[in-house]
Amino acid sequence: DAKTTQPTSMDCAEGRAANLPCNHSTISGNEYVYWYRQIHSQGPQYIIHGLKNNETNEMASLIITEDRKSSTLILPHATLRDTAVYYCIVKGNQGGKLIFGQGTELSVKP
Amino acid sequence: AAGVIQSPRHLIKEKRETATLKCYPIPRHDTVYWYQQGPGQDPQFLISFYEKMQSDKGSIPDRFSAQQFSDYHSELNMSSLELGDSALYFCASSLAVTRKGSPLHFGNGTRLTVT
């Protein structure tokens, strides 16, 4: 599975959009980009995933560049409860483990 | 919607004791994964099962074993516990093959404390 690179930490003001970047320059054609978050001591929470098209659900939007070498997770209106570690993970379509690397610690401030 | 259920939520054991953690996957999910997360660390993959057969193995100590049963629930058995085994243990489940990716869904974990 391809390696990802994320900033170690980010701050965001409450009510503003949080844009979390991820680089995955070695991604291969059949690999998806997954985003998870982990609020302190809770289980990792699935947010969204995509292959090449932009995706949106009730939690977030995922923007994938045309060359698929990077992506951005967008939380449109961040709240204090969105404070968490966000993980960007690349994985193939078939079943298989997720490998967690260093994520981005997002702090949403009032 | 039904989620992954883990039990117990908290467990306290002494060194050299054994522990059994249980995981009940989301209905119709055929693959179960176990992860360990030490203090201040990212979750580390231990082992996974697909259709009751071991499908992948990570950094699982030889003192640990796991299995998946006919009803798809899974158990992680841990023997000769050491202080360093104190951690959060997460179970996740997924469908092995889908047309649109196969996200894993995690339970809320078991916090194991070894004293």
Side-chain angles (χ1 to χ4, degrees), chain B residues 25-76:
Chain B
I26 292 172
R28 295 189 302 277
H29 279 190
D30 50 21
T31 307
V32 170
Y33 310 78
W34 286 97
Y35 285 79
Q36 178 191 59
Q37 186 173 27
Q41 298 181 356
D42 301 310
Q44 297 294 313
F45 171 73
L46 293 178
I47 195 167
S48 63
F49 291 85
Y50 165 65
E51 287 290 345
K52 292 151 282 184
M53 298 290 289
Q54 181 180 310
S55 55
D56 198 357
K57 189 173 180 180
S59 51
I60 183 169
D62 292 341
R63 299 177 290 107
F64 294 6
S65 64
Q67 57 183 321
Q68 186 180 29
F69 294 85
S70 57
D71 63 352
Y72 293 95
H73 95 271
S74 178
E75 295 183 3
L76 178 66

Side-chain angles (χ1 to χ4, degrees), chain B residues 9 16 32 67 77 83 98:
Chain B
R9 288 299 309 275
R16 293 179 289 278
V32 170
Q67 57 183 321
N77 300 293
L83 296 178
T98 71

Side-chain angles (χ1 to χ4, degrees), chain A residues 16-35:
Chain A
R16 303 296 294 268
N19 297 286
L20 291 89
C22 179
N23 287 321
H24 31 78
S25 58
T26 61
I27 192 170
S28 61
N30 66 345
E31 289 182 318
Y32 284 73
V33 180
Y34 291 81
W35 282 84

Side-chain angles (χ1 to χ4, degrees), chain A residues 15 29-31 36 54-55 66 68 76 78-79 86 90 92-95 99:
Chain A
N30 66 345
E31 289 182 318
Y36 283 76
N54 298 338
E55 301 286 346
E66 192 169 344
R68 302 210 320 125
T79 71
Y86 286 76
V90 171
N93 183 35
Q94 302 298 314
I99 299 174

Side-chain angles (χ1 to χ4, degrees), chain A residues 6-58:
Chain A
Q6 299 177 250
T8 303
S9 64
M10 292 180 63
D11 289 340
C12 178
E14 188 178 19
R16 303 296 294 268
N19 297 286
L20 291 89
C22 179
N23 287 321
H24 31 78
S25 58
T26 61
I27 192 170
S28 61
N30 66 345
E31 289 182 318
Y32 284 73
V33 180
Y34 291 81
W35 282 84
Y36 283 76
R37 72 181 182 184
Q38 188 174 28
I39 297 168
H40 182 62
S41 293
Q42 296 183 21
Q45 180 187 21
Y46 165 74
I47 301 173
I48 198 167
H49 74 283
L51 183 63
K52 55 184 178 181
N53 297 320
N54 298 338
E55 301 286 346
T56 295
N57 62 20
E58 65 278 5

